[in-house]
Coordinates of all heavy atoms in Angstrom, one line a residue:
N380 N 0.5 9.3 13.9 CA 0.0 9.0 12.6 C -0.5 7.6 12.5 O -0.8 7.1 11.4 CB 1.1 9.3 11.6 CG 2.2 8.2 11.6 OD1 2.3 7.4 12.4 ND2 3.1 8.3 10.7
G381 N -0.5 6.8 13.5 CA -1.0 5.4 13.5 C 0.1 4.4 13.3 O -0.2 3.2 13.4
S382 N 1.4 4.8 13.1 CA 2.5 3.8 13.0 C 3.1 3.7 14.4 O 3.0 4.6 15.2 CB 3.5 4.3 12.1 OG 3.0 4.3 10.7
V383 N 3.7 2.5 14.7 CA 4.3 2.3 16.0 C 5.7 1.8 15.7 O 5.9 0.9 14.9 CB 3.5 1.2 16.8 CG1 4.2 0.8 18.1 CG2 2.1 1.6 17.0
Y384 N 6.6 2.4 16.4 CA 8.1 2.1 16.3 C 8.7 1.6 17.6 O 8.3 2.0 18.7 CB 8.9 3.4 15.9 CG 8.5 3.8 14.5 CD1 7.4 4.7 14.3 CD2 9.2 3.4 13.4 CE1 7.1 5.1 13.0 CE2 8.9 3.7 12.1 CZ 7.8 4.6 11.9 OH 7.5 5.0 10.6
F385 N 9.6 0.6 17.4 CA 10.4 0.1 18.5 C 11.4 1.2 18.9 O 12.2 1.6 18.1 CB 11.1 -1.2 18.1 CG 11.8 -1.8 19.3 CD1 11.1 -2.7 20.1 CD2 13.1 -1.6 19.5 CE1 11.8 -3.3 21.2 CE2 13.8 -2.2 20.5 CZ 13.2 -3.0 21.4
D386 N 11.4 1.6 20.1 CA 12.3 2.7 20.6 C 13.6 2.1 21.1 O 13.6 1.6 22.3 CB 11.6 3.5 21.7 CG 12.3 4.7 22.2 OD1 13.6 4.8 22.0 OD2 11.7 5.6 22.7
T387 N 14.6 2.1 20.3 CA 15.9 1.4 20.7 C 16.6 2.0 21.8 O 17.2 1.3 22.6 CB 16.8 1.3 19.4 OG1 17.0 2.7 19.0 CG2 16.2 0.5 18.3
V388 N 16.5 3.4 22.0 CA 17.1 4.1 23.1 C 16.4 3.7 24.4 O 17.1 3.4 25.4 CB 17.1 5.6 22.8 CG1 17.6 6.3 24.0 CG2 18.0 5.9 21.6
A389 N 15.1 3.7 24.4 CA 14.3 3.4 25.6 C 14.6 2.0 26.0 O 14.7 1.6 27.2 CB 12.9 3.6 25.4
F390 N 14.7 1.1 25.1 CA 15.0 -0.3 25.4 C 16.4 -0.5 26.0 O 16.5 -1.1 27.1 CB 15.0 -1.2 24.1 CG 15.1 -2.6 24.2 CD1 14.1 -3.4 24.7 CD2 16.4 -3.3 24.0 CE1 14.2 -4.8 24.8 CE2 16.5 -4.6 24.2 CZ 15.4 -5.4 24.6
A391 N 17.4 0.2 25.5 CA 18.7 0.1 26.1 C 18.7 0.8 27.5 O 19.4 0.3 28.4 CB 19.7 0.8 25.1
A392 N 18.0 1.9 27.6 CA 18.0 2.6 28.9 C 17.3 1.8 30.0 O 17.6 2.0 31.2 CB 17.2 4.0 28.7
S393 N 16.5 0.8 29.6 CA 15.8 0.0 30.6 C 16.7 -1.1 31.1 O 16.3 -1.9 32.0 CB 14.6 -0.6 30.0 OG 14.9 -1.7 29.1
G394 N 18.0 -1.1 30.6 CA 19.0 -2.1 31.1 C 19.1 -3.3 30.2 O 19.9 -4.2 30.5
K395 N 18.3 -3.4 29.2 CA 18.4 -4.5 28.2 C 19.5 -4.2 27.2 O 19.8 -3.1 26.9 CB 17.1 -4.8 27.6 CG 16.0 -5.2 28.7 CD 14.7 -5.4 28.0 CE 13.7 -5.8 29.0 NZ 13.2 -4.7 29.9
K396 N 20.0 -5.2 26.6 CA 21.1 -5.1 25.6 C 20.5 -5.1 24.2 O 20.1 -6.2 23.7 CB 22.1 -6.1 25.7 CG 23.0 -5.9 27.0 CD 24.2 -6.8 26.9 CE 25.2 -6.3 25.9 NZ 26.5 -6.8 26.0
Y397 N 20.3 -4.0 23.5 CA 19.9 -4.0 22.2 C 21.0 -4.3 21.3 O 22.1 -3.8 21.4 CB 19.3 -2.6 21.8 CG 18.9 -2.5 20.4 CD1 17.8 -3.1 19.9 CD2 19.7 -1.7 19.5 CE1 17.4 -3.1 18.6 CE2 19.3 -1.7 18.1 CZ 18.2 -2.3 17.7 OH 17.9 -2.2 16.4
G398 N 20.8 -5.1 20.3 CA 21.9 -5.5 19.3 C 22.9 -6.5 19.8 O 24.0 -6.6 19.3
K399 N 22.5 -7.3 20.8 CA 23.5 -8.2 21.4 C 23.9 -9.3 20.5 O 24.9 -9.9 20.7 CB 23.0 -8.7 22.8 CG 21.8 -9.6 22.7 CD 21.5 -10.1 24.2 CE 20.3 -10.9 24.3 NZ 20.0 -11.3 25.6
L400 N 23.1 -9.6 19.4 CA 23.5 -10.6 18.5 C 24.7 -10.2 17.6 O 25.5 -11.0 17.3 CB 22.3 -11.0 17.5 CG 21.1 -11.7 18.2 CD1 20.0 -11.9 17.2 CD2 21.6 -13.0 18.8
D401 N 24.7 -8.9 17.3 CA 25.9 -8.4 16.6 C 26.1 -7.0 17.0 O 25.7 -6.0 16.2 CB 25.7 -8.6 15.1 CG 27.0 -8.3 14.3 OD1 28.0 -7.8 14.9 OD2 27.0 -8.6 13.1
P402 N 26.8 -6.7 18.1 CA 27.0 -5.3 18.6 C 27.7 -4.4 17.6 O 27.6 -3.2 17.6 CB 27.8 -5.5 19.9 CG 27.6 -6.9 20.2 CD 27.3 -7.7 19.0
S403 N 28.5 -5.0 16.7 CA 29.3 -4.2 15.8 C 28.4 -3.4 14.8 O 28.8 -2.5 14.2 CB 30.3 -5.1 15.0 OG 29.6 -6.0 14.1
K404 N 27.2 -3.9 14.6 CA 26.3 -3.2 13.7 C 25.4 -2.1 14.3 O 24.7 -1.4 13.6 CB 25.4 -4.3 13.0 CG 26.2 -5.3 12.3 CD 25.4 -6.0 11.2 CE 26.1 -6.9 10.3 NZ 27.3 -7.5 10.7
I405 N 25.5 -1.9 15.6 CA 24.7 -0.8 16.2 C 25.2 0.5 15.7 O 26.3 0.8 15.7 CB 24.8 -0.9 17.8 CG1 24.2 -2.2 18.3 CG2 24.2 0.3 18.4 CD1 24.4 -2.4 19.7
G406 N 24.2 1.3 15.2 CA 24.5 2.7 14.8 C 25.1 2.7 13.4 O 25.5 3.8 12.9
D407 N 25.1 1.6 12.6 CA 25.7 1.6 11.3 C 24.6 2.2 10.3 O 23.7 1.5 9.9 CB 26.0 0.2 10.9 CG 26.8 0.1 9.6 OD1 26.5 0.9 8.7 OD2 27.6 -0.8 9.4
E408 N 24.8 3.5 10.0 CA 23.8 4.2 9.2 C 23.8 3.6 7.8 O 22.7 3.6 7.1 CB 24.2 5.7 9.1 CG 24.1 6.4 10.5 CD 22.7 6.6 11.0 OE1 21.8 6.6 10.2 OE2 22.6 6.6 12.3
V409 N 24.9 3.1 7.3 CA 24.9 2.5 5.9 C 24.0 1.3 5.9 O 23.2 1.1 5.0 CB 26.3 2.2 5.5 CG1 26.3 1.4 4.1 CG2 27.2 3.4 5.4
L410 N 24.1 0.4 6.9 CA 23.2 -0.8 6.9 C 21.8 -0.4 7.1 O 20.9 -1.0 6.5 CB 23.7 -1.7 8.1 CG 24.9 -2.5 7.8 CD1 25.3 -3.4 9.1 CD2 24.7 -3.5 6.6
M411 N 21.5 0.6 7.9 CA 20.1 1.0 8.1 C 19.5 1.5 6.8 O 18.4 1.2 6.5 CB 20.0 2.0 9.2 CG 20.2 1.4 10.6 SD 19.8 2.5 12.0 CE 21.2 3.6 12.0
A412 N 20.3 2.3 6.1 CA 19.8 2.9 4.8 C 19.6 1.8 3.8 O 18.6 1.8 3.1 CB 20.8 3.9 4.3
E413 N 20.5 0.8 3.8 CA 20.4 -0.3 2.9 C 19.1 -1.1 3.2 O 18.4 -1.6 2.3 CB 21.6 -1.2 3.0 CG 21.6 -2.4 2.1 CD 22.9 -3.2 2.3 OE1 24.0 -2.7 2.2 OE2 22.7 -4.4 2.6
G414 N 18.8 -1.3 4.5 CA 17.7 -2.1 4.9 C 16.4 -1.4 4.6 O 15.4 -2.1 4.3
E415 N 16.3 -0.1 4.8 CA 15.0 0.6 4.7 C 14.9 1.3 3.3 O 13.9 1.7 2.9 CB 14.8 1.6 5.8 CG 14.6 0.9 7.1 CD 14.2 2.0 8.2 OE1 13.7 3.0 7.8 OE2 14.4 1.7 9.4
G416 N 16.1 1.5 2.7 CA 16.1 2.2 1.4 C 15.5 3.6 1.5 O 15.7 4.3 2.5
A417 N 14.7 4.0 0.5 CA 14.1 5.3 0.5 C 13.1 5.6 1.6 O 12.8 6.7 1.9 CB 13.5 5.6 -0.9
L418 N 12.6 4.5 2.2 CA 11.7 4.6 3.2 C 12.2 5.3 4.4 O 11.5 6.0 5.2 CB 11.1 3.2 3.6 CG 10.4 2.5 2.6 CD1 10.0 1.1 3.1 CD2 9.2 3.2 2.1
S419 N 13.5 5.2 4.7 CA 14.1 5.7 5.9 C 14.0 7.2 5.9 O 13.9 7.8 7.0 CB 15.6 5.3 6.0 OG 16.3 5.7 5.0
V420 N 14.1 7.9 4.8 CA 14.0 9.3 4.7 C 12.6 9.8 5.1 O 12.4 10.7 5.9 CB 14.4 9.9 3.3 CG1 14.2 11.4 3.2 CG2 15.8 9.5 3.0
S421 N 11.6 9.1 4.5 CA 10.2 9.5 4.8 C 9.7 9.2 6.2 O 8.8 9.9 6.7 CB 9.3 8.9 3.8 OG 9.3 7.5 3.9
T422 N 10.3 8.3 6.9 CA 9.9 7.9 8.2 C 10.7 8.5 9.3 O 10.4 8.4 10.5 CB 9.8 6.4 8.4 OG1 11.1 5.9 8.2 CG2 8.9 5.8 7.4
L423 N 11.8 9.2 9.0 CA 12.7 9.7 10.0 C 12.1 10.7 11.0 O 12.3 10.6 12.2 CB 13.9 10.4 9.3 CG 15.2 10.6 10.2 CD1 15.6 9.3 10.8 CD2 16.3 11.2 9.4
A424 N 11.1 11.5 10.5 CA 10.4 12.4 11.4 C 9.5 11.7 12.3 O 9.2 12.3 13.4 CB 9.6 13.4 10.5
E425 N 9.1 10.5 12.0 CA 8.2 9.7 12.9 C 8.9 9.0 14.0 O 8.3 8.6 15.0 CB 7.4 8.7 12.1 CG 6.6 9.3 11.0 CD 5.9 8.2 10.1 OE1 6.0 7.0 10.4 OE2 5.4 8.6 9.1
K426 N 10.2 8.8 13.8 CA 11.0 8.0 14.8 C 11.6 8.9 15.9 O 11.8 10.1 15.6 CB 12.2 7.3 14.1 CG 11.7 6.4 13.0 CD 13.0 5.8 12.3 CE 12.7 4.9 11.2 NZ 13.9 4.3 10.7
R427 N 11.9 8.4 17.0 CA 12.6 9.1 18.1 C 14.1 9.1 17.8 O 14.8 9.9 18.2 CB 12.3 8.6 19.4 CG 10.8 8.8 19.8 CD 10.5 8.3 21.2 NE 9.1 8.6 21.5 CZ 8.5 8.0 22.5 NH1 9.1 7.1 23.3 NH2 7.2 8.3 22.7
N428 N 14.5 8.0 17.2 CA 16.0 7.8 16.9 C 16.1 7.1 15.5 O 15.2 6.3 15.2 CB 16.5 6.8 18.0 CG 18.0 6.6 17.9 OD1 18.5 5.9 16.9 ND2 18.8 7.2 18.7
S429 N 17.1 7.4 14.8 CA 17.2 6.8 13.4 C 17.3 5.3 13.5 O 17.0 4.6 12.5 CB 18.5 7.4 12.7 OG 19.6 7.0 13.4
A430 N 17.7 4.7 14.6 CA 17.8 3.2 14.6 C 16.4 2.5 15.0 O 16.3 1.3 14.9 CB 18.8 2.8 15.7
D431 N 15.4 3.3 15.4 CA 14.1 2.8 15.7 C 13.5 2.1 14.4 O 13.8 2.6 13.3 CB 13.2 3.9 16.1 CG 13.6 4.4 17.5 OD1 14.5 3.9 18.1 OD2 13.0 5.5 17.9
F432 N 12.7 1.1 14.6 CA 12.2 0.4 13.4 C 10.7 0.2 13.6 O 10.2 0.1 14.8 CB 12.9 -0.9 13.1 CG 13.0 -1.8 14.3 CD1 12.0 -2.8 14.5 CD2 14.0 -1.8 15.2 CE1 12.0 -3.6 15.6 CE2 14.1 -2.6 16.3 CZ 13.1 -3.6 16.5
A433 N 10.0 0.0 12.5 CA 8.5 -0.1 12.6 C 8.0 -1.4 13.1 O 8.5 -2.5 12.6 CB 7.9 0.2 11.2
L434 N 7.1 -1.4 14.0 CA 6.4 -2.6 14.5 C 5.1 -2.7 13.8 O 4.6 -3.8 13.5 CB 6.2 -2.6 16.0 CG 7.5 -2.6 16.8 CD1 7.2 -2.3 18.3 CD2 8.3 -3.9 16.6
W435 N 4.4 -1.5 13.6 CA 3.1 -1.4 12.9 C 3.1 -0.2 12.1 O 3.5 0.9 12.5 CB 2.0 -1.3 14.0 CG 0.7 -1.4 13.4 CD1 -0.2 -0.3 13.2 CD2 -0.1 -2.5 13.0 NE1 -1.4 -0.7 12.7 CE2 -1.3 -2.1 12.6 CE3 0.2 -3.9 12.9 CZ2 -2.3 -3.0 12.1 CZ3 -0.7 -4.8 12.5 CH2 -1.9 -4.3 12.0
K436 N 2.7 -0.3 10.8 CA 2.7 0.8 9.9 C 1.2 1.1 9.6 O 0.4 0.3 9.3 CB 3.3 0.5 8.6 CG 4.8 0.3 8.7 CD 5.5 1.6 9.0 CE 5.4 2.6 7.9 NZ 6.0 3.9 8.3
A437 N 0.9 2.4 9.7 CA -0.5 2.9 9.3 C -0.7 2.6 7.8 O 0.3 2.7 7.0 CB -0.6 4.4 9.6
S438 N -1.9 2.2 7.5 CA -2.1 1.9 6.1 C -2.2 3.2 5.2 O -2.6 4.2 5.7 CB -3.4 1.1 6.0 OG -4.5 1.8 6.4
K439 N -1.9 3.0 4.0 CA -2.0 4.0 3.0 C -3.2 3.6 2.1 O -3.5 2.4 2.0 CB -0.7 4.2 2.2 CG 0.4 4.7 3.0 CD 1.7 4.8 2.2 CE 2.8 5.1 3.2 NZ 4.1 4.8 2.6
V440 N -3.7 4.5 1.3 CA -4.8 4.2 0.4 C -4.4 3.1 -0.5 O -3.3 3.2 -1.1 CB -5.2 5.5 -0.4 CG1 -6.3 5.2 -1.4 CG2 -5.7 6.6 0.6
G441 N -5.2 2.1 -0.6 CA -5.0 1.0 -1.6 C -4.1 -0.1 -1.0 O -4.0 -1.2 -1.6
E442 N -3.6 0.0 0.2 CA -2.8 -1.0 0.8 C -3.7 -1.9 1.6 O -4.7 -1.5 2.2 CB -1.7 -0.4 1.8 CG -0.6 0.2 1.1 CD 0.5 0.7 2.2 OE1 0.1 0.8 3.4 OE2 1.6 0.9 1.8
P443 N -3.3 -3.2 1.8 CA -4.0 -4.1 2.7 C -3.9 -3.6 4.1 O -2.9 -2.9 4.5 CB -3.3 -5.4 2.6 CG -2.3 -5.3 1.4 CD -2.1 -3.9 1.2
A444 N -4.9 -3.7 4.9 CA -4.9 -3.2 6.3 C -5.8 -4.1 7.2 O -6.7 -4.8 6.7 CB -5.5 -1.8 6.3
W445 N -5.4 -4.1 8.4 CA -6.1 -4.8 9.5 C -6.3 -3.9 10.6 O -5.5 -3.0 10.9 CB -5.2 -6.0 10.0 CG -5.1 -7.1 8.9 CD1 -5.8 -8.2 8.8 CD2 -4.1 -7.1 7.9 NE1 -5.4 -8.9 7.7 CE2 -4.3 -8.3 7.1 CE3 -3.0 -6.2 7.5 CZ2 -3.5 -8.6 6.1 CZ3 -2.2 -6.6 6.4 CH2 -2.5 -7.8 5.7
P446 N -7.5 -4.0 11.3 CA -7.7 -3.1 12.5 C -6.8 -3.4 13.6 O -6.3 -4.5 13.8 CB -9.2 -3.5 12.9 CG -9.4 -4.9 12.3 CD -8.5 -5.0 11.1
S447 N -6.4 -2.3 14.4 CA -5.6 -2.4 15.5 C -5.9 -1.3 16.5 O -6.6 -0.4 16.1 CB -4.1 -2.3 15.1 OG -3.7 -1.0 14.9
P448 N -5.4 -1.3 17.7 CA -5.6 -0.2 18.7 C -5.0 1.1 18.1 O -5.4 2.2 18.6 CB -4.9 -0.7 19.9 CG -4.8 -2.2 19.8 CD -4.7 -2.5 18.3
W449 N -4.1 1.1 17.2 CA -3.5 2.3 16.7 C -4.1 2.7 15.4 O -3.7 3.7 14.8 CB -2.0 2.0 16.4 CG -1.4 1.4 17.6 CD1 -1.0 2.0 18.8 CD2 -1.1 0.0 17.8 NE1 -0.5 1.1 19.7 CE2 -0.5 -0.1 19.1 CE3 -1.2 -1.1 17.0 CZ2 -0.1 -1.3 19.6 CZ3 -0.8 -2.3 17.5 CH2 -0.3 -2.4 18.8
G450 N -5.1 2.0 14.9 CA -5.7 2.3 13.6 C -5.4 1.2 12.6 O -4.6 0.3 12.8
D451 N -6.1 1.3 11.5 CA -5.9 0.3 10.4 C -4.4 0.4 9.9 O -3.9 1.5 9.7 CB -6.8 0.6 9.2 CG -8.3 0.3 9.6 OD1 -8.5 -0.3 10.7 OD2 -9.2 0.6 8.8
G452 N -3.9 -0.8 9.7 CA -2.5 -0.8 9.2 C -2.0 -2.2 8.9 O -2.9 -3.1 8.7
R453 N -0.7 -2.4 9.0 CA -0.1 -3.7 8.7 C 1.1 -3.9 9.6 O 1.7 -2.9 10.1 CB 0.2 -3.8 7.2 CG 1.2 -2.7 6.8 CD 1.6 -2.9 5.4 NE 2.4 -1.7 4.9 CZ 3.6 -1.5 5.2 NH1 4.3 -2.3 6.0 NH2 4.3 -0.5 4.7
P454 N 1.6 -5.1 9.7 CA 2.9 -5.3 10.4 C 4.0 -4.5 9.7 O 4.0 -4.3 8.5 CB 3.2 -6.8 10.3 CG 1.8 -7.4 10.1 CD 1.1 -6.4 9.3
G455 N 4.9 -4.0 10.5 CA 6.0 -3.1 9.9 C 7.2 -3.8 9.5 O 8.2 -3.2 9.1
W456 N 7.2 -5.1 9.4 CA 8.4 -5.9 9.0 C 8.0 -6.9 7.9 O 6.8 -7.2 7.8 CB 9.0 -6.6 10.2 CG 8.2 -7.7 10.7 CD1 8.2 -9.0 10.4 CD2 7.1 -7.6 11.7 NE1 7.2 -9.7 11.1 CE2 6.6 -8.8 11.9 CE3 6.6 -6.5 12.4 CZ2 5.5 -9.1 12.8 CZ3 5.6 -6.7 13.3 CH2 5.1 -8.0 13.5
H457 N 8.9 -7.4 7.2 CA 8.7 -8.4 6.2 C 9.1 -9.7 6.9 O 10.2 -9.8 7.5 CB 9.6 -8.2 5.0 CG 9.3 -7.0 4.3 ND1 10.3 -6.0 4.1 CD2 8.2 -6.4 3.9 CE1 9.8 -5.0 3.5 NE2 8.5 -5.2 3.3
I458 N 8.3 -10.7 6.9 CA 8.6 -12.0 7.5 C 9.9 -12.6 7.1 O 10.6 -13.2 7.9 CB 7.4 -13.0 7.4 CG1 7.5 -14.2 8.3 CG2 7.3 -13.5 5.9 CD1 7.5 -13.8 9.8
E459 N 10.3 -12.4 5.8 CA 11.5 -12.9 5.3 C 12.7 -12.2 6.0 O 13.8 -12.7 5.9 CB 11.6 -12.9 3.8 CG 11.6 -11.5 3.2 CD 10.2 -10.9 3.0 OE1 9.2 -11.4 3.5 OE2 10.2 -9.9 2.2
C460 N 12.5 -11.1 6.6 CA 13.6 -10.3 7.3 C 13.7 -10.7 8.7 O 14.7 -10.3 9.4 CB 13.4 -8.8 7.2 SG 13.3 -8.2 5.5
S461 N 12.8 -11.6 9.2 CA 12.9 -12.0 10.6 C 14.0 -13.0 10.9 O 14.3 -13.8 10.1 CB 11.6 -12.6 11.0 OG 10.5 -11.8 10.8

């Protein structure tokens, strides 16, 4: 659909430590729902795992968009959340 998600399971399977800053939060569905709100329900079918997060979001009508190899869209995160 033009959106790109970070695959948390593939990252961990490659031998890297996902969540090493705070391992206690890995898999915390309450925190994930709080962070994504109602968006998490609509994007769940696009993700491979519920912990995956958007790197690039396909644009919707009326939204700002920039060209990319995946199609027009925008960064999938808010800079203030970095």
